[in-house]
């Protein structure tokens, strides 16, 4: 047998809690959207500052061009590779084959 007092209590509780849950969900969506927008602005702002600060650093590195038949193909995207020089890390100064589509593709091969 249903308890009429319990039904009345749950109904009253439901109508007091649900609007707050809906409002909280809407606020969470708005805050998430704002944070994504803020992150995109911060990334684009950082890129603009880098371009203003050091324009040479943002230009693509000079690639040594070889004939298409001599260059190996990328193991990831099968594009022709170009010879590059490592600028940092344990192999700094050594040459390697890097994908022409960098940074979309990060395929490399040793020389």
């Amino acid at each position: 047998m249903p308890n009429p007092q319990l039904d009345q209590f749950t109904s009253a509780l439901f109508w007091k809690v649900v609007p707050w849950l809906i409002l909280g969900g809407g606020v969470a969506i708005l805050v998430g959207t704002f944070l994504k927008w803020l992150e995109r602005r911060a990334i684009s702002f950082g890129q603009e500052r880098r371009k203003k600060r050091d324009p040479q650093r943002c230009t693509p590195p000079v690639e040594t061009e070889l004939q298409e038949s001599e260059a190996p193909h990328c193991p990831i995207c099968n594009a022709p590779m170009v010879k590059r020089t490592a600028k940092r890390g344990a192999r700094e100064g050594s040459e390697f084959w890097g994908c022409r589509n960098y940074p979309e593709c990060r395929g490399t091969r040793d020389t």
Side-chain angles (χ1 to χ4, degrees), residues 69-82:
S69 61
E70 293 178 17
H73 289 276
C74 177
I76 297 173
C77 68
N78 204 27
M81 300 182 90
V82 293

Side-chain angles (χ1 to χ4, degrees), residues 10-89:
T10 55
S11 177
L13 184 64
F14 180 79
W15 288 109
K16 289 186 187 253
V17 171
V18 167
W20 287 104
L21 290 175
I22 292 172
L23 182 64
V27 167
I29 290 171
L30 289 174
V31 167
T33 305
F34 174 72
L35 289 176
K36 286 182 183 179
W37 174 82
L38 194 61
E39 181 182 16
R40 285 193 305 264
R41 287 285 295 177
I43 290 171
S44 66
F45 179 72
Q47 289 172 348
E48 289 172 10
R49 284 193 54 182
R50 255 192 311 270
K51 286 180 184 177
K52 288 179 183 176
R53 181 180 61 213
D54 194 2
Q56 288 182 342
R57 190 173 182 191
C58 293
T59 58
V62 178
E63 302 168 347
T64 51
E65 297 287 331
L66 293 178
Q67 294 179 1
E68 294 286 327
S69 61
E70 293 178 17
H73 289 276
C74 177
I76 297 173
C77 68
N78 204 27
M81 300 182 90
V82 293
K83 200 168 252 192
R84 300 177 188 260
T85 304
K87 293 190 171 45
R88 58 185 117 122

